[in-house]
Amino acid sequence: MEYIKFVLFFILAHTVSYTIAGAIALSISKDIYESKSRHCDFLRDMSYKDESKHVSMYFIPAQILRGLLMSIILFPLLSSIANLSIRQLSKL
């Protein structure tokens, strides 16, 4: 049960934080993602409705999958990470 709680919490935290970070990045650097003179022409042009819709349709499911994969990898490492940080704090 602890594992399932961790996975669900991690997926939620990852999806929310990545969405907020992505929105901030898009608002700050529109010249990278929009217009014909964008810096990264290999990325989708977010000023076109069709391309923007494609990205928004797959964004949340992709973040949920990414959060799931990251939580599967991190869960076995949690005790090691906690021990490492406790050792570092005890040296201070």
Side-chain angles (χ1 to χ4, degrees):
M1 192 65 172
E2 181 182 340
Y3 179 71
I4 293 172
K5 286 181 185 178
F6 172 76
V7 169
L8 293 175
F9 175 75
F10 192 91
I11 289 171
L12 179 65
H14 170 75
T15 302
V16 169
S17 62
Y18 202 86
T19 301
I20 292 170
I24 292 170
L26 182 61
S27 68
I28 291 172
S29 55
K30 282 192 178 279
D31 57 338
I32 293 175
Y33 301 104
E34 294 182 355
S35 78
K36 289 187 186 274
S37 63
R38 63 188 189 270
H39 297 293
C40 300
D41 60 353
F42 57 89
L43 297 174
R44 294 186 181 272
D45 188 348
M46 297 305 287
S47 61
Y48 292 121
K49 195 70 168 172
D50 288 340
E51 292 188 23
S52 177
K53 184 178 178 184
H54 174 81
V55 170
S56 62
M57 184 173 70
Y58 291 110
F59 182 79
I60 297 295
Q63 297 318 311
I64 291 171
L65 179 61
R66 181 186 286 176
L68 174 66
L69 294 173
M70 290 172 68
S71 68
I72 290 169
I73 292 168
L74 283 177
F75 188 76
L77 302 174
L78 285 180
S79 61
S80 299
I81 293 170
N83 290 337
L84 180 65
S85 62
I86 290 171
R87 278 190 233 138
Q88 294 296 328
L89 288 174
S90 66
K91 289 181 181 180
L92 296 176

